[in-house]
Amino acid sequence: MAGQSGWDPTTPDEIDDLARRAQDGDRDALEALLGAVRPRALNVCRGVLPYSADAEDACQEALINISRKIGSWHGNGRFTTWMHAVAVNSARSTYRRLKNQATASGIDVAEVDRPDPRTTSVIAGTRLDLLEAMESLERDHPQFVEPLLLRDVYGLPYDEIARLVEAPLGTVKAQIHHGRKLVRPMLRGQE
């Protein structure tokens, strides 16, 4: 199964087919699917977590979650879009776990490895202030977090996000707009 893009050995149609077969209990298809989506999942995790080892851990968690929750992909959109959300959630979960471990150890998380906002891209998703802003947003307005991350960090189109979160397109656009307004003041170096 050779794909059309240079780094991805499987086309989106082939990935969707593998996912359907894996949902039907085909273990070989599941293994092939996990192998095909691993590079994408790792890239998503690297976009959220600044350290490679942490991103690898999150990617592993994402692949486990994909294999366990594959039945929740409804086939309405691309499997890779659904996988993207699973990987984002795994990366954020890993971040929370690491932050809690550091806090329990008496480490002041706010002072450790604070990235320089002049040299660290918000779009790359490696700014710790962005992760903190998402944590704060999730506490107060959880409905905005996933659409905002999928749009502004990972650049998914609005219609794909709407399918993924199973919400009307207008609702998704409003959630992203309101989420941006709430997050903007929390980002260091932002007006």
Coordinates of all heavy atoms in Angstrom, one line a residue, residues 53-141:
A53 N 11.0 13.0 24.5 CA 10.6 11.8 25.3 C 9.2 11.9 25.8 O 8.4 10.9 25.8 CB 11.6 11.7 26.5
D54 N 8.7 13.1 26.1 CA 7.4 13.3 26.6 C 6.4 13.1 25.4 O 5.3 12.5 25.6 CB 7.2 14.7 27.2 CG 8.0 15.0 28.4 OD1 8.5 14.0 29.0 OD2 8.2 16.2 28.7
A55 N 6.8 13.6 24.3 CA 5.9 13.4 23.1 C 5.8 11.9 22.7 O 4.8 11.4 22.3 CB 6.5 14.2 21.9
E56 N 7.0 11.2 22.8 CA 6.9 9.7 22.6 C 6.0 9.0 23.5 O 5.2 8.1 23.1 CB 8.3 9.1 22.7 CG 9.3 9.5 21.6 CD 9.1 8.7 20.3 OE1 8.4 7.7 20.3 OE2 9.7 9.1 19.3
D57 N 6.0 9.4 24.8 CA 5.1 8.8 25.8 C 3.7 9.1 25.4 O 2.8 8.2 25.5 CB 5.4 9.3 27.2 CG 6.7 8.8 27.8 OD1 7.2 7.8 27.3 OD2 7.1 9.4 28.8
A58 N 3.4 10.3 25.1 CA 2.0 10.7 24.7 C 1.6 10.0 23.5 O 0.4 9.5 23.4 CB 1.9 12.2 24.5
C59 N 2.5 9.8 22.5 CA 2.1 9.1 21.3 C 1.8 7.6 21.6 O 0.8 7.1 21.1 CB 3.3 9.1 20.3 SG 3.0 8.2 18.8
Q60 N 2.6 7.0 22.5 CA 2.3 5.6 22.9 C 0.9 5.5 23.5 O 0.1 4.6 23.2 CB 3.4 5.1 23.8 CG 3.4 3.6 24.0 CD 3.7 2.9 22.7 OE1 4.3 3.4 21.8 NE2 3.1 1.7 22.5
E61 N 0.6 6.5 24.4 CA -0.7 6.5 25.0 C -1.8 6.7 23.9 O -2.9 6.1 24.0 CB -0.8 7.7 26.0 CG -2.2 7.8 26.7 CD -2.2 9.0 27.6 OE1 -1.2 9.3 28.3 OE2 -3.3 9.6 27.7
A62 N -1.6 7.6 22.9 CA -2.5 7.8 21.9 C -2.8 6.5 21.1 O -4.0 6.2 20.8 CB -2.0 8.9 20.9
L63 N -1.7 5.8 20.8 CA -1.9 4.5 20.0 C -2.7 3.5 20.8 O -3.6 2.8 20.3 CB -0.6 4.0 19.6 CG 0.2 4.9 18.6 CD1 1.6 4.2 18.3 CD2 -0.6 5.1 17.3
I64 N -2.5 3.5 22.1 CA -3.2 2.6 23.0 C -4.7 3.0 23.0 O -5.6 2.2 22.8 CB -2.7 2.5 24.4 CG1 -1.3 1.8 24.4 CG2 -3.6 1.9 25.4 CD1 -0.5 2.0 25.7
N65 N -4.9 4.3 23.1 CA -6.3 4.8 23.1 C -7.0 4.6 21.8 O -8.2 4.3 21.7 CB -6.3 6.3 23.5 CG -6.0 6.5 24.9 OD1 -6.3 5.7 25.8 ND2 -5.5 7.7 25.2
I66 N -6.3 4.7 20.7 CA -6.8 4.5 19.4 C -7.3 3.0 19.3 O -8.4 2.7 18.8 CB -5.8 4.8 18.3 CG1 -5.7 6.3 18.2 CG2 -6.2 4.2 16.9 CD1 -4.5 6.8 17.3
S67 N -6.4 2.1 19.7 CA -6.8 0.7 19.6 C -8.0 0.3 20.5 O -8.8 -0.5 20.2 CB -5.6 -0.2 19.9 OG -5.2 -0.1 21.3
R68 N -8.0 1.0 21.7 CA -9.1 0.7 22.6 C -10.5 1.3 22.2 O -11.5 0.8 22.4 CB -8.8 1.2 24.0 CG -7.8 0.3 24.7 CD -7.6 0.8 26.1 NE -6.6 0.0 26.8 CZ -5.9 0.5 27.8 NH1 -6.0 1.7 28.3 NH2 -5.0 -0.3 28.4
K69 N -10.4 2.5 21.6 CA -11.6 3.3 21.3 C -11.9 3.3 19.8 O -12.8 4.2 19.4 CB -11.4 4.7 21.8 CG -11.1 4.8 23.3 CD -10.8 6.2 23.7 CE -10.6 6.3 25.2 NZ -10.3 7.7 25.6
I70 N -11.3 2.5 19.0 CA -11.6 2.6 17.6 C -13.0 2.4 17.2 O -13.5 3.0 16.3 CB -10.7 1.5 16.8 CG1 -10.7 1.8 15.3 CG2 -11.2 0.1 17.1 CD1 -9.6 1.2 14.6
G71 N -13.8 1.8 18.1 CA -15.2 1.6 17.8 C -16.0 2.9 17.9 O -17.1 3.0 17.4
S72 N -15.4 4.0 18.5 CA -16.1 5.3 18.7 C -15.9 6.1 17.4 O -16.5 7.2 17.3 CB -15.7 6.0 19.9 OG -14.3 6.4 19.8
W73 N -15.0 5.7 16.5 CA -15.0 6.4 15.2 C -16.2 6.0 14.4 O -16.4 4.8 14.1 CB -13.7 6.1 14.5 CG -13.6 6.7 13.1 CD1 -13.6 8.0 12.8 CD2 -13.5 6.0 11.9 NE1 -13.6 8.2 11.4 CE2 -13.5 7.0 10.8 CE3 -13.4 4.7 11.5 CZ2 -13.4 6.7 9.5 CZ3 -13.3 4.3 10.2 CH2 -13.3 5.3 9.2
H74 N -17.0 6.9 14.0 CA -18.2 6.6 13.3 C -18.1 6.6 11.8 O -19.1 6.3 11.1 CB -19.3 7.6 13.8 CG -19.6 7.6 15.3 ND1 -20.0 6.5 15.9 CD2 -19.4 8.6 16.2 CE1 -20.1 6.8 17.2 NE2 -19.7 8.0 17.4
G75 N -17.0 7.0 11.3 CA -16.8 7.0 9.8 C -17.4 8.2 9.2 O -17.5 8.2 7.9
N76 N -17.8 9.2 9.9 CA -18.4 10.4 9.3 C -17.4 11.3 8.6 O -17.7 11.9 7.6 CB -19.2 11.3 10.4 CG -20.3 10.5 11.0 OD1 -20.8 9.5 10.5 ND2 -20.7 11.0 12.2
G77 N -16.2 11.3 9.1 CA -15.1 12.0 8.6 C -13.9 11.1 8.4 O -14.0 9.9 8.6
R78 N -12.8 11.6 8.1 CA -11.6 10.8 7.9 C -11.2 10.2 9.3 O -11.3 10.9 10.3 CB -10.4 11.6 7.4 CG -10.6 12.0 5.9 CD -10.3 10.8 5.1 NE -10.4 11.2 3.7 CZ -10.5 10.3 2.7 NH1 -10.4 9.0 3.0 NH2 -10.5 10.7 1.5
F79 N -10.6 9.0 9.3 CA -10.1 8.4 10.5 C -9.0 9.3 11.1 O -8.9 9.4 12.3 CB -9.6 7.0 10.2 CG -9.0 6.4 11.4 CD1 -9.9 5.8 12.4 CD2 -7.7 6.4 11.7 CE1 -9.4 5.2 13.5 CE2 -7.2 5.8 12.8 CZ -8.0 5.2 13.8
T80 N -8.2 9.9 10.2 CA -7.0 10.7 10.6 C -7.5 11.9 11.4 O -6.8 12.4 12.3 CB -6.1 11.1 9.5 OG1 -6.9 11.7 8.4 CG2 -5.4 9.9 8.9
T81 N -8.7 12.4 11.1 CA -9.2 13.6 11.8 C -9.6 13.1 13.2 O -9.2 13.8 14.2 CB -10.4 14.2 11.1 OG1 -10.0 14.6 9.8 CG2 -11.0 15.4 11.9
W82 N -10.2 12.0 13.3 CA -10.6 11.4 14.7 C -9.3 11.1 15.4 O -9.2 11.4 16.6 CB -11.4 10.2 14.5 CG -11.8 9.5 15.7 CD1 -12.8 9.8 16.5 CD2 -11.1 8.3 16.3 NE1 -12.9 8.9 17.6 CE2 -11.8 8.0 17.5 CE3 -10.0 7.6 15.9 CZ2 -11.5 7.0 18.3 CZ3 -9.6 6.5 16.8 CH2 -10.4 6.2 17.9
M83 N -8.3 10.5 14.8 CA -7.1 10.1 15.4 C -6.3 11.4 15.9 O -5.7 11.4 17.0 CB -6.2 9.4 14.4 CG -4.8 9.0 14.9 SD -3.3 9.8 14.3 CE -3.7 11.3 13.6
H84 N -6.5 12.5 15.2 CA -5.9 13.7 15.6 C -6.4 14.2 17.0 O -5.6 14.5 17.8 CB -6.2 14.8 14.5 CG -5.2 15.8 14.3 ND1 -4.4 15.8 13.3 CD2 -4.9 16.9 15.0 CE1 -3.6 16.9 13.3 NE2 -3.9 17.6 14.4
A85 N -7.7 14.1 17.1 CA -8.3 14.5 18.4 C -7.8 13.5 19.5 O -7.5 14.0 20.7 CB -9.8 14.5 18.3
V86 N -7.7 12.3 19.3 CA -7.3 11.3 20.3 C -5.8 11.6 20.7 O -5.5 11.6 21.8 CB -7.4 9.8 19.8 CG1 -6.7 8.9 20.7 CG2 -8.8 9.5 19.5
A87 N -5.0 11.9 19.7 CA -3.6 12.3 20.0 C -3.5 13.6 20.7 O -2.7 13.7 21.7 CB -2.8 12.3 18.7
V88 N -4.3 14.6 20.4 CA -4.2 15.9 21.1 C -4.6 15.6 22.6 O -4.0 16.1 23.5 CB -5.2 16.9 20.5 CG1 -5.5 18.1 21.4 CG2 -4.7 17.4 19.2
N89 N -5.7 14.8 22.8 CA -6.1 14.6 24.2 C -5.1 13.8 24.9 O -4.8 14.0 26.1 CB -7.5 13.8 24.1 CG -8.6 14.7 23.7 OD1 -8.5 16.0 23.9 ND2 -9.6 14.2 23.2
S90 N -4.4 12.8 24.3 CA -3.3 12.1 24.9 C -2.2 13.0 25.3 O -1.6 12.8 26.4 CB -2.9 10.9 24.0 OG -3.9 10.0 23.8
A91 N -1.8 13.9 24.4 CA -0.7 14.8 24.7 C -1.1 15.7 25.9 O -0.2 15.9 26.8 CB -0.3 15.6 23.5
R92 N -2.3 16.2 25.9 CA -2.7 17.1 27.0 C -2.8 16.3 28.3 O -2.4 16.8 29.3 CB -4.0 17.7 26.6 CG -3.8 18.7 25.5 CD -5.1 19.5 25.1 NE -5.6 20.2 26.2 CZ -6.8 20.1 26.7 NH1 -7.7 19.3 26.2 NH2 -7.2 20.8 27.7
S93 N -3.2 15.1 28.2 CA -3.2 14.2 29.4 C -1.8 14.0 29.9 O -1.6 14.0 31.2 CB -3.9 12.9 29.1 OG -3.8 12.0 30.1
T94 N -0.9 13.7 29.1 CA 0.5 13.5 29.5 C 1.1 14.8 30.1 O 1.7 14.8 31.1 CB 1.4 13.1 28.2 OG1 0.9 11.9 27.7 CG2 2.8 13.0 28.6
Y95 N 0.8 15.9 29.5 CA 1.2 17.2 30.1 C 0.7 17.4 31.5 O 1.4 17.7 32.4 CB 0.7 18.4 29.2 CG 1.0 19.7 29.8 CD1 2.3 20.2 29.8 CD2 0.0 20.4 30.4 CE1 2.5 21.5 30.5 CE2 0.2 21.7 31.0 CZ 1.5 22.2 31.0 OH 1.7 23.4 31.6
R96 N -0.6 17.1 31.7 CA -1.2 17.3 33.0 C -0.5 16.3 34.0 O -0.2 16.7 35.1 CB -2.7 17.0 33.0 CG -3.6 18.1 32.5 CD -5.0 17.9 32.7 NE -5.6 16.8 31.9 CZ -6.0 17.0 30.7 NH1 -6.0 18.1 30.1 NH2 -6.5 15.9 30.1
R97 N -0.3 15.1 33.6 CA 0.3 14.1 34.5 C 1.7 14.6 34.9 O 2.1 14.6 36.0 CB 0.4 12.7 33.8 CG 1.0 11.7 34.6 CD 1.1 10.3 34.0 NE 1.4 10.3 32.5 CZ 2.6 10.3 32.1 NH1 3.7 10.5 32.9 NH2 2.8 10.3 30.8
L98 N 2.5 15.0 33.9 CA 3.9 15.5 34.2 C 3.9 16.7 35.1 O 4.7 16.9 36.0 CB 4.6 15.8 32.9 CG 4.9 14.6 32.0 CD1 5.4 15.0 30.6 CD2 5.9 13.7 32.7
K99 N 2.9 17.6 34.8 CA 2.8 18.8 35.6 C 2.4 18.5 37.1 O 3.0 19.0 38.0 CB 1.7 19.8 35.0 CG 1.6 21.0 35.8 CD 0.5 21.9 35.2 CE 0.2 23.1 36.1 NZ -1.0 23.8 35.7
N100 N 1.5 17.5 37.2 CA 1.1 17.1 38.6 C 2.3 16.4 39.3 O 2.5 16.6 40.5 CB -0.1 16.2 38.5 CG -1.4 16.9 38.2 OD1 -1.5 18.1 38.3 ND2 -2.3 16.2 37.6
Q101 N 3.0 15.6 38.6 CA 4.2 15.0 39.2 C 5.3 16.0 39.6 O 5.8 15.9 40.7 CB 4.9 14.0 38.2 CG 4.1 12.7 38.0 CD 4.7 11.9 36.9 OE1 5.5 12.3 36.1 NE2 4.2 10.6 36.8
A102 N 5.5 17.0 38.8 CA 6.4 18.0 39.2 C 6.0 18.8 40.4 O 6.7 19.1 41.3 CB 6.7 19.0 38.0
T103 N 4.7 19.2 40.4 CA 4.1 19.9 41.5 C 4.2 19.1 42.8 O 4.6 19.7 43.8 CB 2.7 20.3 41.2 OG1 2.7 21.1 40.0 CG2 2.1 21.2 42.3
A104 N 3.9 17.8 42.7 CA 4.0 17.0 43.9 C 5.4 16.9 44.4 O 5.6 16.6 45.6 CB 3.4 15.6 43.6
S105 N 6.4 17.0 43.5 CA 7.8 17.0 43.9 C 8.3 18.3 44.4 O 9.5 18.4 44.7 CB 8.6 16.5 42.7 OG 8.2 15.3 42.2
G106 N 7.5 19.3 44.5 CA 7.9 20.6 45.0 C 8.5 21.5 43.9 O 9.1 22.5 44.3
I107 N 8.4 21.1 42.7 CA 9.0 21.9 41.6 C 8.0 23.0 41.2 O 6.9 22.8 41.0 CB 9.4 21.1 40.4 CG1 10.4 20.0 40.8 CG2 9.8 21.9 39.2 CD1 10.6 19.0 39.7
D108 N 8.5 24.3 41.1 CA 7.7 25.4 40.6 C 7.6 25.3 39.1 O 8.5 25.7 38.4 CB 8.3 26.7 41.1 CG 7.4 27.9 40.7 OD1 6.3 27.7 40.1 OD2 7.8 29.0 40.9
V109 N 6.5 24.7 38.6 CA 6.4 24.5 37.2 C 6.4 25.8 36.4 O 6.9 25.8 35.3 CB 5.0 23.7 36.9 CG1 4.8 23.5 35.5 CG2 5.0 22.4 37.7
A110 N 6.0 26.9 37.0 CA 5.9 28.1 36.2 C 7.4 28.6 35.9 O 7.5 29.4 35.0 CB 5.2 29.2 37.0
E111 N 8.4 28.2 36.7 CA 9.7 28.7 36.5 C 10.6 27.8 35.7 O 11.7 28.1 35.3 CB 10.4 29.0 37.8 CG 9.7 30.1 38.6 CD 9.6 31.4 37.8 OE1 10.6 31.8 37.1 OE2 8.6 32.1 37.8
V112 N 10.1 26.6 35.4 CA 11.0 25.6 34.7 C 10.8 25.7 33.2 O 9.8 25.7 32.7 CB 10.6 24.1 35.1 CG1 11.3 23.1 34.3 CG2 10.8 24.0 36.6
D113 N 12.0 25.9 32.6 CA 12.0 25.9 31.1 C 11.0 26.7 30.5 O 10.3 26.3 29.5 CB 12.0 24.4 30.6 CG 13.2 23.6 30.9 OD1 14.3 24.2 31.0 OD2 13.1 22.4 31.0
R114 N 10.8 27.9 30.9 CA 9.9 28.9 30.3 C 10.4 29.3 28.9 O 11.5 29.8 28.8 CB 9.7 30.1 31.2 CG 8.7 31.0 30.7 CD 8.5 32.1 31.7 NE 8.2 31.6 33.0 CZ 7.2 32.0 33.8 NH1 6.4 32.9 33.4 NH2 6.9 31.4 34.9
P115 N 9.6 29.0 27.9 CA 10.1 29.3 26.5 C 10.1 30.8 26.3 O 9.3 31.5 26.9 CB 9.1 28.6 25.6 CG 7.9 28.4 26.4 CD 8.4 28.3 27.9
D116 N 11.0 31.3 25.5 CA 11.0 32.7 25.1 C 10.0 33.0 24.0 O 10.0 32.4 22.9 CB 12.4 33.0 24.6 CG 12.6 34.5 24.2 OD1 11.6 35.2 24.1 OD2 13.7 34.9 24.1
P117 N 9.0 33.8 24.3 CA 7.9 34.0 23.4 C 8.4 34.7 22.1 O 7.7 34.6 21.1 CB 6.9 34.9 24.1 CG 7.6 35.5 25.3 CD 8.8 34.5 25.6
R118 N 9.6 35.3 22.1 CA 10.1 35.9 20.9 C 10.6 34.9 19.9 O 10.7 35.1 18.7 CB 11.2 36.9 21.2 CG 10.7 38.1 22.1 CD 11.9 38.8 22.6 NE 12.6 37.9 23.5 CZ 13.8 38.2 24.0 NH1 14.4 39.3 23.8 NH2 14.4 37.3 24.8
T119 N 10.9 33.7 20.4 CA 11.5 32.6 19.6 C 10.7 31.4 19.5 O 11.1 30.4 18.8 CB 13.0 32.3 20.0 OG1 12.9 31.8 21.4 CG2 13.9 33.5 20.0
T120 N 9.6 31.3 20.2 CA 8.8 30.1 20.2 C 7.5 30.4 19.6 O 6.8 31.3 20.0 CB 8.6 29.6 21.7 OG1 9.9 29.5 22.3 CG2 7.9 28.2 21.7
S121 N 7.1 29.6 18.6 CA 5.9 29.8 17.9 C 4.7 29.3 18.6 O 4.7 28.1 19.0 CB 6.0 29.2 16.5 OG 4.7 29.1 15.9
V122 N 3.6 30.1 18.7 CA 2.4 29.6 19.3 C 1.8 28.5 18.3 O 1.2 27.5 18.7 CB 1.4 30.7 19.4 CG1 0.0 30.2 19.8 CG2 1.9 31.7 20.5
I123 N 1.9 28.8 17.0 CA 1.4 27.8 16.1 C 2.0 26.5 16.2 O 1.4 25.4 16.0 CB 1.6 28.4 14.6 CG1 0.8 29.7 14.5 CG2 1.1 27.4 13.6 CD1 -0.6 29.7 14.8
A124 N 3.3 26.4 16.5 CA 4.0 25.1 16.7 C 3.5 24.4 17.9 O 3.6 23.2 18.0 CB 5.5 25.3 16.8
G125 N 2.8 25.1 18.8 CA 2.1 24.5 19.9 C 3.1 24.0 21.0 O 2.7 23.3 21.9
T126 N 4.3 24.6 21.0 CA 5.3 24.2 22.0 C 5.4 25.2 23.2 O 6.2 25.0 24.0 CB 6.7 23.9 21.4 OG1 7.1 25.1 20.8 CG2 6.6 22.8 20.4
R127 N 4.6 26.2 23.2 CA 4.6 27.2 24.3 C 3.9 26.7 25.5 O 2.7 26.3 25.4 CB 4.0 28.5 23.8 CG 5.0 29.2 22.9 CD 4.6 30.6 22.5 NE 4.2 31.3 23.7 CZ 3.9 32.6 23.6 NH1 3.8 33.2 22.5 NH2 3.5 33.2 24.7
L128 N 4.6 26.6 26.6 CA 4.0 26.2 27.8 C 2.8 27.1 28.2 O 1.9 26.6 28.9 CB 5.0 26.0 28.9 CG 6.1 25.0 28.6 CD1 7.1 25.0 29.8 CD2 5.5 23.7 28.4
D129 N 2.9 28.4 27.9 CA 1.8 29.3 28.3 C 0.6 28.9 27.5 O -0.5 29.0 28.0 CB 2.2 30.7 28.1 CG 2.6 31.1 26.7 OD1 3.0 30.3 25.9 OD2 2.5 32.3 26.4
L130 N 0.7 28.4 26.3 CA -0.5 27.9 25.5 C -1.1 26.7 26.2 O -2.3 26.6 26.4 CB -0.1 27.5 24.1 CG -1.2 27.0 23.3 CD1 -2.3 28.0 23.1 CD2 -0.7 26.5 21.9
L131 N -0.3 25.8 26.7 CA -0.8 24.6 27.4 C -1.5 25.1 28.7 O -2.6 24.6 29.1 CB 0.3 23.6 27.7 CG 0.9 23.0 26.5 CD1 2.1 22.1 26.9 CD2 -0.1 22.1 25.8
E132 N -0.9 26.0 29.4 CA -1.5 26.5 30.6 C -2.9 27.2 30.3 O -3.8 27.1 31.0 CB -0.6 27.5 31.4 CG 0.6 26.8 32.0 CD 0.2 25.8 33.1 OE1 -0.8 26.1 33.8 OE2 0.9 24.8 33.2
A133 N -2.9 28.0 29.2 CA -4.1 28.6 28.8 C -5.2 27.6 28.5 O -6.4 27.8 28.9 CB -3.8 29.6 27.6
M134 N -4.8 26.5 27.8 CA -5.8 25.5 27.5 C -6.3 24.8 28.8 O -7.5 24.5 28.9 CB -5.2 24.4 26.6 CG -4.9 24.9 25.2 SD -6.4 25.4 24.3 CE -6.1 27.2 24.2
E135 N -5.4 24.6 29.8 CA -5.9 24.1 31.0 C -6.9 25.0 31.7 O -7.9 24.5 32.2 CB -4.7 23.8 32.0 CG -3.7 22.8 31.5 CD -4.3 21.4 31.5 OE1 -4.9 21.0 32.5 OE2 -4.3 20.7 30.4
S136 N -6.6 26.2 31.7 CA -7.5 27.2 32.3 C -8.8 27.3 31.6 O -9.9 27.3 32.2 CB -6.8 28.6 32.3 OG -7.7 29.6 32.9
L137 N -8.7 27.3 30.3 CA -10.0 27.3 29.4 C -10.8 26.1 29.7 O -12.0 26.1 29.8 CB -9.6 27.5 28.0 CG -10.7 27.6 27.0 CD1 -11.5 28.9 27.2 CD2 -10.2 27.6 25.5
E138 N -10.1 24.9 29.8 CA -10.9 23.7 30.0 C -11.6 23.7 31.4 O -12.7 23.1 31.5 CB -9.9 22.5 30.0 CG -10.6 21.2 30.0 CD -9.7 20.0 29.7 OE1 -8.6 19.9 30.2 OE2 -10.2 19.2 28.9
R139 N -11.0 24.3 32.4 CA -11.7 24.4 33.7 C -13.0 25.2 33.6 O -14.0 24.8 34.2 CB -10.8 25.0 34.7 CG -9.8 24.1 35.4 CD -9.1 24.7 36.6 NE -8.4 25.9 36.2 CZ -7.1 25.9 35.8 NH1 -6.5 24.8 35.5 NH2 -6.6 27.1 35.5
D140 N -12.9 26.3 32.9 CA -14.0 27.3 32.9 C -14.9 27.1 31.7 O -16.1 27.4 31.8 CB -13.5 28.7 32.9 CG -12.6 29.0 34.2 OD1 -12.9 28.4 35.2 OD2 -11.7 29.8 34.1
H141 N -14.4 26.7 30.5 CA -15.2 26.6 29.3 C -14.7 25.4 28.5 O -14.1 25.6 27.4 CB -15.0 27.9 28.5 CG -15.4 29.2 29.2 ND1 -16.7 29.6 29.4 CD2 -14.6 30.1 29.8 CE1 -16.7 30.7 30.1 NE2 -15.4 31.0 30.4

